[in-house]
Amino acid sequence: MSIRFEGRVAIVTGAGGGLGREHALALAARGAKVVVNDLSAADRVVAEIRAAGGEAIASNASVTDFDAVQAMVAQAVQAWGRVDILVNNAGILRDKTFAKMDLADFRLVLDVHLMGSVHCTKAVWDLMREQKYGRIIMTTSSTGLYGNFGQTNYAAAKLALVGFMQTLALEGEKYGIHVNSIAPTAHTQMTEGLMPAEVLAKLKPAAVTPAVLYLASEEAPTRAILCAGAGTFERAYITLTQGVHLGTGADTPERVAAQIAAISDRSGDMVPGAGSAQGANEISKAAAAG
């Protein structure tokens, strides 16, 4: 199987450098027409793509500005007639412990990562529904999935994107729209100074891009959280244990405390197909208990 993108149109946000640049270059190299979105460096990446024989146009739209994002999508449609792939990559960091963090910095990170992805996705959603095809990629993070000291704002935004993905994938399924998430580990401007130089040397942004190309392809799954860094690829899941029925008596809080190990037992845990699986599990156990 060869992953190719001839006839496909892709938008990559935050593509002026780092991960986004690598994603845009790789998509173009495999035949996609690419909208390179970045506040300042989009033209440079477009020039790189064109110099290599590819097709690309630049967009300086801020993902926090829905009107500008809509204009970016209209620009792609005017040039090429469709949008098949959206890679939501734009992001910023404003790291501090929660005790020291200004709420303005919390909101700003949410606005760029979460609402920026919402804006871009909303702008292409009806188009993808009409053409009955789409591939949308959210950029989540191990910080959102598992936490990281000093990054409450970033963690909140990145895990919110997973929840956004989970429901979008359900809503887009009958229209051929697959929605997935990439959790990258890479040395970019955002991670400068956070790790030793010898570690950062292994974490080239290009090492993440193969996972993005797969998630952008016709063969992509939907509702996957694919992790990538330094040439290693993993998959993350949000699971639900089988749980224990303890009733609703006055001593139930104490019974929860006494049974927390059994409640937490991952034997037979599941990856729910939808949020309703939790309620279905609880009701079935309550019914079985009489």
Side-chain angles (χ1 to χ4, degrees):
M1 180 187 72
S2 177
I3 293 177
R4 300 292 305 176
F5 298 100
E6 278 81 8
R8 298 299 186 192
V9 176
I11 295 174
V12 184
T13 67
L19 287 162
R21 172 181 171 272
E22 295 295 341
H23 303 340
L25 291 174
L27 284 162
R30 289 174 178 252
K33 300 173 177 68
V34 182
V35 178
V36 178
N37 166 259
D38 195 79
L39 290 176
S40 60
D43 289 328
R44 185 175 65 232
V45 178
V46 167
E48 286 186 74
I49 290 171
R50 290 176 177 172
E55 293 187 56
I57 55 178
S59 168
N60 301 121
S62 169
V63 297
T64 62
D65 182 343
F66 185 50
D67 289 339
V69 167
Q70 288 180 300
M72 173 179 68
V73 172
Q75 179 186 8
V77 173
Q78 182 177 15
W80 298 311
R82 58 190 295 121
V83 176
D84 302 284
I85 299 161
L86 170 64
V87 182
N88 287 308
N89 172 75
I92 58 170
L93 289 176
R94 293 293 186 272
D95 292 353
K96 285 183 180 178
T97 62
F98 190 61
K100 296 179 180 178
M101 185 175 295
D102 189 283
L103 285 179
D105 281 341
F106 205 106
R107 288 193 188 95
L108 179 60
V109 169
L110 287 175
D111 281 345
V112 175
H113 290 272
L114 176 57
M115 291 309 302
S117 297
V118 170
H119 290 159
C120 293
T121 302
K122 183 66 172 176
V124 302
W125 191 251
D126 285 346
L127 181 63
M128 288 183 173
R129 278 169 38 115
E130 289 167 10
Q131 66 195 22
K132 294 202 175 338
Y133 184 89
R135 297 293 182 266
I136 298 173
I137 301 169
M138 309 296 173
T139 302
T140 185
S141 170
S142 57
T143 295
L145 297 171
Y146 311 113
N148 199 33
F149 190 90
Q151 291 192 305
T152 51
N153 49 2
Y154 185 69
K158 288 305 193 183
L159 191 55
L161 285 169
V162 174
F164 186 40
M165 171 204 78
Q166 299 275 25
T167 297
L168 274 180
L170 295 173
E171 294 182 3
E173 186 174 12
K174 69 179 180 180
Y175 299 101
I177 303 172
H178 293 194
V179 191
N180 295 286
S181 294
I182 181 73
T185 308
H187 177 202
T188 68
Q189 186 177 0
M190 284 175 55
T191 59
E192 189 70 48
L194 297 180
M195 302 176 191
E198 61 273 17
V199 174
L200 292 175
K202 296 181 185 299
L203 295 173
K204 296 177 181 178
V208 172
T209 298
V212 172
L213 293 179
Y214 169 60
L215 295 178
S217 72
E218 293 182 15
E219 293 76 19
T222 195
R223 296 184 69 195
I225 307 168
L226 201 54
C227 309
T232 297
F233 303 88
E234 310 104 326
R235 189 164 174 178
Y237 294 91
I238 297 176
T239 65
L240 183 70
T241 67
Q242 289 294 322
V244 179
H245 180 74
L246 299 175
T248 58
D251 65 341
T252 302
E254 289 75 21
R255 297 180 71 190
V256 170
Q259 293 290 320
I260 191 62
I263 293 167
S264 305
D265 184 1
R266 295 192 59 191
S267 301
D269 65 357
M270 65 190 95
V271 179
S276 57
Q278 176 183 334
N281 185 60
E282 292 160 352
I283 291 167
S284 67
K285 282 188 166 48

